[in-house]
Amino acid sequence: MGDLIRLLRKGLPAEAVLTDPDVTASYASDMAGFCAAGTPAVVVLPRTVEEVRQVMRTATELRVPVVPQGARTGLSGAANATEGCMVLSLVKMDRIIEIDPVERIAVVEPGVVNAVLSRAVAEHGLYYPPDPSSWEQCTIGGNIGTGSGGLCCVKYGVTAEYVLGLEVVLADGRLLTTGRRTAKGVAGYDLTRLFVGSEGSLGVVVRAVLALKPAPPQQLALAAEFPSTAAACEAVRRIMARGHAPCLLELMDRTTVHAVNALARMGLPESTEALLLAAFDTPHAAADLAAVGELCTGAGATEVVPADSPAESELLLQARRMSLPALERLRPATMIDDVCVPRGRLAEMLDGTAAIAERHGLTIGVCAHAGDGNTHPVVCFDPADPGEARRARESFEEIMALGLELGGTITGEHGVGLLKREWLAKEAGPVAMELQRGIKQVFDPLGLLNPGKVL
């Protein structure tokens, strides 16, 4: 421990090296449940690339594991400390280095908060689309590490589609530059994409070149009430089959709607079995909404309510963003799944989840990015009740198994981390896992970076 602190302080200011056990304990875990966390030996908060390099050189010299962290809003345990590790928190590296309206790029450090970047580029008439529900807290580095998504993915895609280039500190302290600043570029293997979603297991991202888009018009939204999840999912199928491009297409089941009403008294229709929210940011958003409203009615919607203004639309979308906090109030703890299935099998996924909840005697609310098939079943339970906690874990596992059975994936945007490590092997298969372990060996031969995560 003495050598570790001494070597760290050779390249970092004293205030960047935290050793107080009460302080370091607060960095032990992210927001995932059922994920073990160890006690960090030290937490470091660098402000420069050179300081990160010093951390990794020290880790290599002393063979100390390193767990990179952002804001710890993740839901897979990817940022959880391992016993005796160095936690490398990048939240102090929070500069927006450049915004270029001509090239439509932003160059940022990993600690920049998603919402801060979004507002900064908006001042230039630009738009950074990825918008996780935690966008007011989560960092760009964390978004890159987990390959995060958000509400707008149905039209604009996920984080990986906006990362053009990276600067990455490797396990031995070397600095790697990947990718480009240009609109196009296909030179060599795509190492940039390799780091996106790697959860800090291959290197530490210290700078990112991000693609931007022109700011779209303000969006208009509608809410459609359905008598069944099957009817709502049929509406989703019809909307996508007709070639519509909503910027948001979200679903909330009955449990979620009731929870949001209880939290915020928003007056959502509690008679509904499924509430579908659709939004457009097109030049003719009202006409697009009217066409989608007709499709919803044809699929069985009992009521379709279009917003009259962007402000009213924002109220509808706020209800969706409140889904998780509302469900968290139902029981002392939650486990949040992240299974993505083909759109055509979304109804089977939702109905299957409801059957799992009934079989285990649990409350499981589902909110979903319905337009891209990404469901978020939220298992609500009391961890102090051993039987209920066991059933919660079993239901969580059954939901992932159902997703794979329907041709889906165990994670659409939250990542693997600790929570789904065993399930990655079931999804990927032995050949893919062998190759992935080989890649890990090339980048991190000593196994120091985020050990025990992903693979």
Side-chain angles (χ1 to χ4, degrees):
M1 181 69 168
D3 286 344
L4 174 60
I5 303 304
R6 177 178 57 79
L7 288 175
L8 288 173
R9 286 180 173 160
K10 283 179 61 176
L12 284 84
E15 64 270 17
V17 182
L18 309 180
T19 58
D20 183 330
D22 292 334
V23 175
T24 58
S26 67
Y27 289 82
S29 62
D30 63 17
M31 296 179 67
F34 282 107
C35 290
T39 303
V42 62
V43 174
V44 291
L45 293 99
R47 292 183 179 271
T48 68
V49 172
E50 187 53 41
E51 289 174 3
V52 176
R53 297 184 70 185
Q54 173 68 10
V55 169
M56 295 314 306
R57 286 191 291 259
T58 300
T60 295
E61 180 177 343
L62 298 180
R63 303 298 195 265
V64 178
V66 176
V67 176
Q69 286 185 351
R72 304 194 311 281
T73 57
L75 295 164
S76 68
N80 283 18
T82 56
E83 193 66 29
C85 74
M86 276 194 284
V87 163
L88 173 54
S89 174
L90 298 156
V91 295
K92 299 293 186 181
M93 297 180 70
D94 59 356
R95 293 184 303 148
I96 299 174
I97 297 167
E98 179 184 357
I99 297 172
D100 188 331
V102 175
E103 304 302 335
R104 294 180 180 172
I105 61 170
V107 182
V108 305
E109 291 183 327
V112 172
V113 171
N114 185 296
V116 171
L117 174 63
S118 296
R119 294 177 183 125
V121 302
E123 295 178 5
H124 297 265
L126 297 169
Y127 177 42
Y128 181 67
D131 62 341
S133 294
S134 59
W135 77 308
E136 292 281 8
Q137 295 85 35
C138 65
T139 62
I140 295 298
N143 295 167
I144 292 171
T146 58
S148 62
L151 302 185
C152 70
C153 293
V154 62
K155 180 175 181 178
Y156 291 105
V158 295
T159 295
E161 295 167 63
Y162 295 88
V163 182
L164 298 178
L166 296 170
E167 287 186 12
V168 182
V169 175
L170 299 178
D172 58 7
R174 289 180 295 164
L175 184 63
L176 168 69
T177 300
T178 78
R180 64 195 195 278
R181 291 172 57 100
T182 53
K184 296 165 64 178
V186 294
Y189 297 134
D190 191 347
L191 297 181
T192 303
R193 278 290 186 107
L194 187 60
F195 283 101
V196 179
S198 66
E199 302 181 27
S201 64
L202 301 179
V204 181
V205 171
V206 291
R207 188 166 295 183
V209 181
L210 303 175
L212 305 174
K213 290 187 174 293
Q218 283 189 293
Q219 60 188 14
L220 286 178
L222 67 72
E225 181 181 354
F226 290 88
S228 68
T229 53
C233 293
E234 173 61 17
V236 172
R237 192 192 68 78
R238 294 185 185 192
I239 292 166
M240 302 309 292
R242 290 290 182 90
H244 290 290
C247 61
L248 176 146
L249 191 56
E250 298 286 307
L251 184 148
M252 300 161 63
D253 73 353
R254 176 179 58 182
T255 299
T256 305
V257 168
H258 287 195
V260 170
N261 274 343
L263 175 63
R265 304 187 186 281
M266 297 192 72
L268 298 176
E270 297 208 357
S271 60
T272 186
E273 290 295 320
L275 188 69
L276 192 65
L277 303 175
F280 285 87
D281 58 4
T282 55
H284 307 289
D288 289 327
L289 279 183
V292 163
E294 290 181 6
L295 292 174
C296 289
T297 300
T302 55
E303 188 170 5
V304 176
V305 182
D308 293 327
S309 66
E312 190 175 334
S313 296
E314 183 55 37
L315 284 176
L316 289 176
L317 304 186
Q318 185 63 23
R320 169 60 182 87
R321 290 187 184 276
M322 293 177 64
S323 295
L324 178 56
L327 289 167
E328 286 176 334
R329 289 167 57 94
L330 299 183
R331 299 293 285 161
T334 57
M335 289 187 71
I336 305 166
D337 220 323
D338 174 37
V339 173
C340 189
V341 298
R343 297 182 188 100
R345 309 202 73 174
L346 186 58
E348 294 172 79
M349 184 69 208
L350 295 176
D351 290 343
T353 299
I356 290 169
E358 183 175 358
R359 185 163 60 250
H360 287 281
L362 295 169
T363 297
I364 302 180
V366 181
C367 48
H369 309 310
D372 51 26
N374 197 170
T375 68
H376 293 308
V378 181
V379 183
C380 307
F381 68 102
D382 183 357
D385 181 333
E388 192 168 312
R390 175 186 53 77
R391 297 197 309 276
R393 185 62 196 235
E394 289 173 355
S395 68
F396 187 86
E397 304 277 331
E398 289 179 23
I399 290 168
M400 284 191 286
L402 175 62
L404 292 182
E405 180 184 330
L406 295 174
T409 174
I410 58 170
T411 175
E413 57 188 6
H414 291 172
V416 174
L418 285 170
L419 191 61
K420 299 188 174 183
R421 183 183 176 194
E422 294 179 4
W423 283 90
L424 176 62
K426 296 177 183 179
E427 177 177 332
V431 175
M433 293 303 294
E434 179 183 348
L435 292 173
Q436 291 194 48
R437 292 188 183 103
I439 291 169
K440 168 72 170 174
Q441 179 67 23
V442 167
F443 281 89
D444 183 21
L446 297 176
L448 299 178
L449 279 166
N450 218 3
K453 315 295 174 52
V454 188
L455 303 179

